[in-house]
Amino acid sequence: MPPAAAPSSGARTLDHPEREAIRLENVLHALSDPMRLAIVRRLAAVEDELSCAVFDLPVSKSTCTHHFRVLREHGVINQIYRGTAKMNALRRADLDDLFPGLLDSVLAAADLEEKRLGGAGT
Amino acid sequence: MPPAAAPSSGARTLDHPEREAIRLENVLHALSDPMRLAIVRRLAAVEDELSCAVFDLPVSKSTCTHHFRVLREHGVINQIYRGTAKMNALRRADLDDLFPGLLDSVLAAADLEEKRLGGAGT
């Protein structure tokens, strides 16, 4: 269930939950999918915003869009239109403020699991 | 999707994934439900095994059973029959070994959120 979101101000603005509306259960749900976790790991690694187009995910465009929307609606990423590109950035400051250490421990756990499974983890 | 589990040796033995079969995405999924997170927080707090009966959860018995099964099948808890009681214990050693710091950060995040929401978090 997506958390309460600020009303959209136009077709080119996407709804995001305010920091205070982000819930732990929703963040954990957002991170519990391998594809979404892979997206978050990449955004964390580059420490920058990335367009949806650079994520070469092995799923259909609509599935990809769905995963980004779940991450956005659950407070894990910001999505913003820049021209025709939809850019994505991790809400690291918000997440670290609300749940100190959580994101880092999930990222570290994902790295460990990937090594443990011989790179087949993501 | 539940991970591969060891074959059951009898009706009174419940299937659990081996430590090596526990997956981060499944653990995060198991923890992403408020009821299951409440169960895990209580098991972590008592550092002991508890019978299902002591969890006075505001859901039906079958829903309660479902939540415990998800936690077990995803490697978060051990369930064992002792006489007629089904006892539950957190698989802390397994989780801490596989994903160091993850469980603690989730528990800390849940505590913080509960305080932030004035005790309405669980």
Side-chain angles (χ1 to χ4, degrees):
Chain A
M1 198 166 47
S8 170
S9 60
R12 303 296 280 177
T13 305
L14 296 156
D15 288 340
H16 294 79
E18 301 288 336
R19 178 187 293 205
E20 294 68 30
I22 297 174
R23 291 291 172 272
L24 176 60
E25 68 214 50
N26 290 329
V27 171
L28 294 175
H29 170 70
L31 298 174
S32 71
D33 177 272
M35 203 70 67
R36 293 196 292 267
L37 186 56
I39 293 168
V40 167
R41 293 176 73 191
R42 180 136 176 220
L43 289 172
V46 299
E47 297 182 11
D48 197 359
E49 58 181 35
L50 291 175
S51 80
C52 288
V54 306
F55 290 90
D56 190 22
L57 300 173
V59 291
S60 70
K61 192 169 182 302
S62 66
T63 300
C64 190
T65 302
H66 163 76
H67 284 315
F68 280 101
R69 190 176 65 241
V70 171
L71 288 169
R72 170 171 53 80
E73 289 181 343
H74 289 53
V76 179
I77 65 169
N78 273 315
Q79 289 194 294
I80 188 167
Y81 281 105
R82 299 200 189 281
T84 57
K86 200 193 276 179
M87 302 301 290
N88 307 279
L90 202 54
R91 293 181 69 170
R92 185 176 259 288
D94 289 332
L95 295 173
D96 286 351
D97 182 71
L98 290 170
F99 314 118
L102 178 68
L103 185 62
D104 283 328
S105 73
V106 171
L107 293 170
D111 287 346
L112 270 177
E113 183 164 275
E114 187 175 20
K115 280 180 198 143
R116 191 161 54 89
L117 300 178
T122 54
Chain B
M1 197 166 47
S8 171
S9 60
R12 303 296 279 175
T13 306
L14 297 155
D15 289 340
H16 294 79
E18 301 288 337
R19 178 187 293 206
E20 294 68 30
I22 298 174
R23 291 290 172 271
L24 176 59
E25 67 214 51
N26 290 329
V27 171
L28 294 175
H29 170 71
L31 298 174
S32 71
D33 177 272
M35 203 70 67
R36 293 196 293 266
L37 187 54
I39 293 168
V40 166
R41 293 176 73 191
R42 180 136 176 220
L43 289 173
V46 299
E47 297 182 10
D48 197 0
E49 58 181 35
L50 292 174
S51 81
C52 288
V54 307
F55 290 89
D56 190 22
L57 300 173
V59 291
S60 70
K61 192 170 182 302
S62 66
T63 300
C64 190
T65 301
H66 164 76
H67 284 315
F68 279 100
R69 191 177 65 241
V70 170
L71 288 169
R72 169 172 52 80
E73 290 181 341
H74 289 53
V76 179
I77 66 169
N78 273 316
Q79 289 194 295
I80 188 167
Y81 281 105
R82 300 199 189 281
T84 57
K86 200 194 277 179
M87 303 300 291
N88 307 278
L90 202 54
R91 294 181 68 171
R92 184 177 260 287
D94 289 332
L95 295 173
D96 285 351
D97 182 70
L98 289 170
F99 315 118
L102 178 69
L103 185 62
D104 282 329
S105 73
V106 171
L107 293 169
D111 287 346
L112 270 178
E113 182 163 276
E114 188 175 20
K115 280 181 197 142
R116 191 160 55 90
L117 300 178
T122 55

